[in-house]
Structure formats: C-alpha cells, structure tokens
Amino acid sequence: MSEGADSRGGHPFRLSHLDVLESEAVHIFREVAGEFENPVLLFSGGKDSIVMLHLALKAFAPAAIPFSLLHVDTGHNFPEVLEYRDRVVARHGLRLHVASVQDYIDRGVLRERPDGTRNPLQTLPLTEKIQSERFDAVFGGGRRDEEKARAKERVFSLRDEFSQWDPRRQRPELWQLYNGRHAPGEHVRVFPLSNWTELDVWQYIAREDIELPGIYFAHEREVFERAGMWLTAGEWGGPKAGETVETRLVRYRTVGDMSCTGAVDSDATTLDAVITEIAASRLTERGATRADDKMSEAAMEDRKREGYF
Amino acid sequence: MTISTEQPARRAAPAEATLLRFATAGSVDDGKSTLVGRLLHDSKSVFADQLEAVEQVSASRGQDVPDLALLTDGLRAEREQGITIDVAYRYFATARRRFILADTPGHVQYTRNMVTGASTAELTVILVDARHGVVEQTRRHAAIAALLGVPHVVLAVNKMDLVDYAEPVFAGIAETFTAYALGLGVPEITAIPISALAGDNVVEPSAAMDWYGGPTVLEHLESVPTGRESAARHARLPVQVVIRPRTPEHPDYRGYAGQIATGTFRVGDEVKVLPSGIGSRISGIDLLGVGVDVASAPQSVTLLLEDDIDISRGDLIVPAHDVPALGRNIEATVCHLADTPLTAGRRVLLKHTTRTVKATVEEITSRLALDDLTHHADPGQLVANDIGRVRVRTAEPVALDAYADSRHTGSFLLIDPADGTTLAAGIVTD
C-alpha cells in the first residue's frame, strides 16, 4: 500500500470531489490538445466558460493555452460581460474569434423572431464559424445536470458536417478513452464540465477565488416581468407596451442573451451567500432563468440536434 | 409511489466531500427507473420545476400518480417508447458525499451500455424482482460487473411489498446470488431488501422489515470506501502532452503532462519511459501549477525529469523497478460495441491510454454465451453486445497491465480506421 499526501487535498485516497472533477477536466483539455489540430474554446463570459478557461490555464501552465476562444455574440449581451470578456482576453494574451448574430441579421441571412429572443439564432453563426475557421474540436461548458437531454451527452460528442447531434448514434464512451476520430468537415464538441453540477461550479469558483462579472451578485437593476421572469430593460426590445419597469435587487444564475435570460430576486452579494442560495434553491438553473427551454418538453434536444451547444 | 411536492431545501455536500461513481443494472420491469427516481426524489435532488414538468406530462397522459421514470428518460424516443435506450448520467448529493450515477438500460440488447456504465463505476446496483429471484439477466449483470472489476456490488431485492416483506424470500435470493457472484470473483456483495415503489430501505429504513438490520441503499452508497484501487497500485503516467513554454521566464521548462492512472510518484523516483526503455529520475512534480513532492492517482500532474530525453504523447512513465510487459501480441476479452460484426483479419486501431497504434484482429478465440456463461470456441465473429476472447497483433509494442491491476492501463478500445467508429472495448484478463 503506497502512502502519500499532496499539498492540498490531504490523503490521496480521499481526494475531494472537486479535486477529482478538476483532475478529470484537465485530462480532457490535455487529450484534445494532444489529438486535435485546431481546437477552440467557446467563451461567453458566463461562469461555466470562465471555469473552463481557468482549468485550461492550469492544464498547460506554465505554457500558454494552445488554442483560441470563440464568442457567439447575440448582439444582446450584458455590457458587464463583454467588458469582462475583453479584459480576460487581454490579460492572458489570448486570441478571440467572434461570431455575430447581429451581423447575420444585418446581412438579411437571419431574421429577428417575433418573440425577440436571439438564443436560437446563435446556431447558424456558430456552425458557420466552425466550418470557416476549420475548428476540429469545440470546447463547450455544457453540464449533464442542466437538462435531461444533456444528461445523455458524451464528453466527446461527434458532430457531422452540418454540426448535427444524433443522440441515437453516439459513440459509447468507456473508461477515460475518448475517441476523437472524425472525417474532414466533421468536428467534436468537447464538454470538460460534463460531470460538474451548478453547485460544483460555484464551490470551485470560491475555492479558486475566480473573478466573475458583477451581474452574478445581487445588485439593483431596472427589470420588468415577462413570462414569469425578470428581464433587464434595454435597447434590445424590452419592455413592450403594458410591461412595467421597476428597480429590484436581483442577480443572475446564468448569463446569456438579454432577451431570454431572467434575473432572480436575491440579496446574495458574496460567493458564500450565492452558494448558500444555490444549495437551497428549489428550481434548476435553467428552469429559473431560461425562457427558451420552456418552449417544449424537448426544446434542448431539438436545438442540440441542429448544432446548438 | 408516494411523491411529495413539498420539499425542504436540498442537502448540499460540502466542497471537500468525496465522490462515488456508481451504475445501476436491472431487467426491464425490475423497477430500476423507480429506484433511481426514488433515490433522486428522497435525497431531495429533484427540483420543483423538474417535478412540475413530470406532473404535467403524467397528467396529460391520464396517469394519476406522477411517473418518476420521466425524470430520467431524457430523449424524445425514450419518452415515446417508455424505455431507456442509452446511458444517462445523473448527479445528486447528500451531506456526506456526491454521486455520479450511470443509469444504464437493462435489456440484453444494450449489454454494451451496461459495459459503458460499469467501466468507470466503483459500485454497481443489480436489481432483482423478489417474486422472480435470480434470473438469467441477473447472472449476466453479475458477470459483467465481475469482468469489469467493479469493486462493490449491491444486490437490491426489489418489490418486497409484493412478497409480504417475507424474510425467507430475501434470504433465499441473497444466498443464491452471493454464491454465484463470489464464484465469478466479485469481491464484495451487499444484499438489501427494498421496495422502490413504497420507499422501503432506499433512503429511509423500512418499518415493514424490522428483521433487516443492514444499511439502506443510500446509507451504503454513502459509506462504501472509494478511490482505494487506483492509488495503491503500480505507478503509471501516460503522457498526454509535452509542455514547453519557451518564454523568457521559463526558457528551459520541459514537462510531461498527464493524469496519474494508478499509484504514486515522488520527486527523486527512478523512472523508465516506455516503449523506449530510457531511464531518468523525477526532478519535480507540478500539480496544476503548484510544485509538490508527491502525487497520486487520479491527480493530473506534470512530471519534470533530470535528463533531457525524447518523450512524446503516448509514452508511459513508470517506476524503474516496476515496469509492465511490452508486447505486440495481446490476448484480451472484448465487448463488441458496433453494429457491424468483428471478424478475424480485420485491421483496426488500438487505443491504449494516450497511445493509438495500428493493429490486426488475428483470431476470435471464443464467444461467451451470456445465458450460461460458457465459452464457445471459434465463433467466427462477434456481433454487437457479444463478449468474447480475441488475439490482437499491434504494429508497435504496447505496455499493458492486467485489468485486475489497473482499469486504466489494462483496458483499450478498438477503432475502425476508416470512419472512426468505436468497435470494441478490451480488457486484459491474463
């Protein structure tokens, strides 16, 4: 029986679950770096992609991350998040690609939806960018605990030349032997946070003392109610006539397009307070804050089939 | 099944809690979905909006009681057919531990999915129906758990409510199963009488079975030891990438990054690099940017060596005194995963740790009959879900351990070089 202790986790036989998840995610990042020509990391400035970037920095330290970032910009982003994104990119000397939904709308390729949400419009700019830049591995921050279609997702998920996901034709995934083989034009979506839960992400952010955009913490904001959610008032198209703006103390559990990402009432201004709040919440992250997942019972599965991340 | 929509706050595991990966297995009507639903529900891991969605769909189908299987059947096709097609992973936590559950389909047609789920599991729950006892499918699941070296097996004797909670029924099934599973080499078996529908002995102890003095399913999951196998074995580090910053701060840094598969490495250890066999000594260990003196599986680390030698992805770093055999002829047990049959003479890629080499399937020696577990010689081919013995010859030497010593360095995949399909999962059983 070998004995040993590391600097942080204590006895190696009792690594904490965060240590195990961190180690596994780093393994996944390194596998992709070892086997693919041109990976890219989807970076939205949300907490999951921020944790992914942190893990990637650790995985290749003291060298730089051997891939670039890609942001799908819906044109309805929170300004605080864009500011955070640009600051992080500059600090680490990273290369950022941007796929712009607004650009597609301006060119007439995509049309604004009647409900104003741009979340489903992200799929085309994303998949075209993957093709034009010839990315062969695309890291996403998707977690299996988010949604029941995502619970079926592999860590390495092969997508065809149209970026489609076919849940019935997924490769079995055994041990930690990830199969990234793909034909030209195909790519692999890679999910290093597959086995993390929302609470794991927050506990890890606290443990590693990772900086987040301020909108994740309670702040006063002008919001209005639509479909049972608090949406931010702004140039993107809200409020409509009949919707009343009020100032409330809120924070965000997810960060996405302003038109479909709701805020939650909260007085959690610190990481500890957020963790306490998440642990006690009776709603899932998406159930609480995402309008687009409420469209149908299989909304996520249907979007993923088309190439959504 | 009784369901409460009034749920208190979820129990959240502290950040330093341990992690247990486990899998469930059972036949189609053994109540596996109900057990999983019960574990998630009674451990307060189901959220109000998820439960609300289940209630809505159940009501729209005219069902009086919410169908908890809807919590776990995530795909359109699964909901339409009311069956589980593919492995899904579920997450829940108690105050003591976090859990990753591989929820695997039970049907014989999906043996490969049970193999997938069990490959990373430290524990498997095998369900049987108390009215039927140990059946063919139970034996098959026990055999797969034994083959894959799952350290702990739980026999959950379900539907005890339908046999009047009778102790002799449980005792008889437990005895039959234990004798059978010990014969297969399953190291540890815990039998628990339950009713997933009524909630007996799943999370809460059963008032109806006061003759049973053991743990509930959840208590057992919370207390079973984890992580034991990997740290105590031969030290092995498959090299994933070589880290060379070439920056002014780190002009000469050259590190070999990988996740320690098994065992422990210390600064100062004499090591060998395979397949070249060149020796050196560990001069430093970086644990994700922090220097440490010692590191163990499953930590992801970067090793620094005293000598500047040629090492690349796919190499294996091992202690100089504990080197695995290198060879090009591999005898192994495989589970065939793909829809096209595996035949002798087939050219494949063999992926072992971080190394992928060309290989040929030289011979299919035997096929395991899953109904009676006998070996049939010269089957000619293996079709999807078959388990059999094969002989594979690789183009370059591969450093394999026995699977019993290491699930990481004793396992491999066979891949179709033409389209990348994962053909088979292999286990070094000798």
Side-chain angles (χ1 to χ4, degrees), chain A residues 27-28 30-36 136-138 144 153-159 169-183 186-191, chain B residues 116 240 313 337-338 346 348-357 412-425:
Chain A
H27 172 82
I28 293 162
R30 289 169 168 177
E31 280 302 281
V32 170
E35 295 223 322
F36 290 81
D136 55 359
V138 180
R144 288 171 178 152
E153 181 68 270
R154 300 288 183 263
V155 174
F156 272 39
S157 180
L158 183 66
R159 302 300 172 102
R169 294 183 55 81
Q170 299 192 89
R171 286 175 180 162
E173 205 156 76
L174 299 100
W175 300 288
Q176 285 183 297
L177 292 169
Y178 301 113
N179 177 1
R181 296 256 149 193
H182 60 282
E186 296 178 338
H187 71 278
V188 175
R189 298 279 172 93
V190 183
F191 301 101
Chain B
T116 297
Q240 292 185 279
R313 175 173 171 83
L337 309 166
R346 180 142 185 192
V348 295
L349 295 171
L350 183 141
K351 181 165 180 142
H352 171 250
T353 66
T354 56
R355 185 174 174 82
T356 304
V357 297
F412 60 84
L413 298 182
L414 297 182
I415 294 171
D416 186 334
D419 64 4
T421 303
T422 301
L423 297 172

Side-chain angles (χ1 to χ4, degrees), chain B residues 99-119:
Chain B
F99 300 95
I100 300 178
L101 160 59
D103 185 11
T104 70
H107 200 274
V108 61
Q109 190 187 333
Y110 301 117
T111 300
R112 57 184 168 188
N113 290 332
M114 198 205 148
V115 172
T116 297
S119 73

Side-chain angles (χ1 to χ4, degrees), chain B residues 160-242:
Chain B
M160 286 300 291
D161 51 318
L162 300 183
V163 294
D164 297 325
Y165 296 106
E167 180 177 15
V169 175
F170 168 72
I173 295 169
E175 197 181 322
T176 308
F177 180 82
T178 304
Y180 179 76
L182 287 176
L184 290 169
V186 171
E188 192 200 283
I189 299 143
T190 304
I192 306 176
I194 67 167
S195 166
L197 194 69
D200 292 287
N201 288 336
V202 178
V203 172
E204 303 297 334
S206 170
M209 290 182 275
D210 53 7
W211 47 263
Y212 173 73
T216 66
V217 174
L218 188 64
E219 279 167 7
H220 184 67
L221 294 174
E222 281 184 311
S223 58
V224 81
T226 64
R228 234 186 210 168
E229 56 160 12
S230 55
R233 315 265 184 184
H234 314 278
R236 303 283 184 257
L237 183 96
V239 175
Q240 292 185 279
V241 285
V242 180

